[in-house]
Structures are given as structure tokens and as C-alpha cells.
Amino acid sequence: MGAAALAAGVTWVAIVADGRRRLEGEALRALRASSPSLTTAELAPHLRSIDDFDAWAVRHGVPTDGAQSYGAMEDAWEPSFRTDVLPGRSAQWWKDAVLVAVLGGAVVALASIAVVNLGPQWWAWGWGIGMPIALALFFAGALMRIAAEVRVRREYRAGYATTVMDMCGLSSSPLFADVFTGVDLLDASTGGVVAAAGRRPLSREMFIDRVDTLRRARVVQP
């Protein structure tokens, strides 16, 4: 129960943060037409109030009429790679690890229940060994969920993201969402730029196609 509550709390915080990041990405895209060098790091602190934003825009000479071309530009893209990524495991790696831990815990728990149903002589194996392992995997998953969110925040502050909102990476999932449009979206395994900051949110198909292109391009590089 503790692991579930912990994971639920972290997930709720992440959902709220994703909403803020969506807003920052949309604002950046609206202003990029008139201020191509503008970044989310510069813009985000001034989106908390209209008065603060207006005063900041005047001080820094950021034209706010760039929103007139909002949604009118097509996102040009060519394969490119970033080398200034943070050291350590990416946010996507941590999210994959969470999935492995949770699925592993579920499999072990179900197997333990099946073993217990074989008879009392198997209870020690099911309740004494299997269930503790399942609970440990669930708890590890909750801790890794925290690590994933910490890494997401660090990457976002560094100007990029390596993950999207996606339910288990399944091609039929309706929960795919590119929520980090205010920063560059990278392929975690190659460092390739899947899409630049200030973009329209990517569709699942476009995301998969670009990741495949980047990985092929990385393979053929000398």
C-alpha cells in the first residue's frame, strides 16, 4: 500500500508539471515566429501572471504579436545529434525500468497466488518467498518512478527531454502525448534530436518515424 501511495503521489505531481510544460511549450511556439532565439528557460518564470509577462516582454523587446502566425509554420526537420546531454541514465531509461519492475512484480504475485492454491505445503513458497519478492519489486518501481521524475526535471532545465507520455510504449495506446514541446525532444539511445523546441506536438507515427531515422543515421556514421 505504501509503494502504491508513493507512486500515485509522484504521478499526480508529474501530471500537474506536465500541464505547466504544455503551457510553456505553446507559449514558446507562439512567440518563436518573432523571437527565434527565445527559450523556455527565459520565458517560463514570466508566465505566472499577465502583468509580469507584459512587463518582461517590454523590457526584453519580445514582440507579443508573433502569435498571429501561431500554427501557421511547418516544422522542418533534419537528423541531428546533441552532445551536451547530462551524464547518467536518461528519464526514458528510468521509465522503462519502472515498467519492468511493476510488470515483474505482477507476474511474481500472480505466480505466488497460483502456487498457494496448490495446497498448504506450498504456502511457505507463495506467502513467504513469492509475495515478499513481488512487494519488493513494486516498492522498487515506486522509487524508480521518483528517480524518473527527478531526471525529467533535470533534463527539462537543461533544455531537452528524452521521454513522452506513453502508456507502456504500446502502439495501440491512446495515451501518447508529446508534452515537452518547450524543449528539444531527444532519442535517449542516440542523443538525436527528434524535434526542436517550439514545435507542434508530435503524433505517435511521426515520433516513431523520426526515431527510426535517427537510429539508422547513427549506425551509418563513421
Side-chain angles (χ1 to χ4, degrees):
M1 290 295 292
L6 183 62
V10 173
T11 300
W12 174 251
V13 170
I15 291 172
V16 173
D18 284 348
R20 187 188 71 249
R21 291 165 187 149
R22 285 176 185 267
L23 172 63
E24 292 169 358
E26 292 296 308
L28 181 67
R29 182 158 69 92
L31 295 173
R32 268 290 179 90
S34 54
S35 301
S37 62
L38 185 64
T39 66
T40 299
E42 296 171 309
L43 176 63
H46 307 285
L47 292 176
R48 295 184 177 90
S49 75
I50 295 176
D51 292 340
D52 182 25
F53 172 76
D54 287 342
W56 168 80
V58 170
R59 285 197 310 272
H60 293 273
V62 176
T64 57
D65 58 355
Q68 293 175 357
S69 58
Y70 178 76
M73 296 183 297
E74 293 296 329
D75 298 315
W77 181 79
E78 292 291 338
S80 62
F81 298 87
R82 284 184 58 160
T83 58
D84 59 337
V85 297
L86 299 172
R89 302 291 188 181
S90 69
Q92 186 59 55
W93 186 94
W94 283 108
K95 287 193 173 185
D96 290 341
V98 172
L99 179 60
V100 170
V102 171
L103 291 180
V107 169
V108 173
L110 292 174
S112 300
I113 293 172
V115 167
V116 167
N117 287 334
L118 294 176
Q121 68 271 26
W122 295 99
W123 288 0
W125 287 94
W127 299 125
I129 297 177
M131 280 303 179
I133 292 175
L135 292 175
L137 287 170
F138 287 137
F139 188 72
L143 294 179
M144 287 187 287
R145 182 67 183 86
I146 295 175
E149 183 57 25
V150 169
R151 182 68 186 201
V152 164
R153 291 172 181 243
R154 290 187 62 204
E155 290 179 353
Y156 193 80
R157 288 196 298 268
Y160 71 92
T162 59
T163 184
V164 294
M165 183 186 296
D166 194 7
M167 180 60 72
C168 301
L170 301 177
S171 59
S172 59
S173 168
L175 297 182
F176 179 91
D178 177 14
V179 299
F180 300 99
T181 57
V183 295
D184 290 347
L185 178 61
L186 307 187
D187 171 34
S189 66
T190 64
V193 180
V194 179
R199 64 188 175 275
R200 292 182 177 86
L202 296 180
S203 66
R204 171 188 292 281
E205 293 74 18
M206 184 178 292
F207 173 78
I208 293 174
D209 181 66
R210 290 187 178 185
V211 168
D212 289 342
T213 300
L214 286 166
R215 292 179 181 177
R216 289 196 301 269
R218 176 61 80 185
V219 168
V220 299
Q221 283 186 349

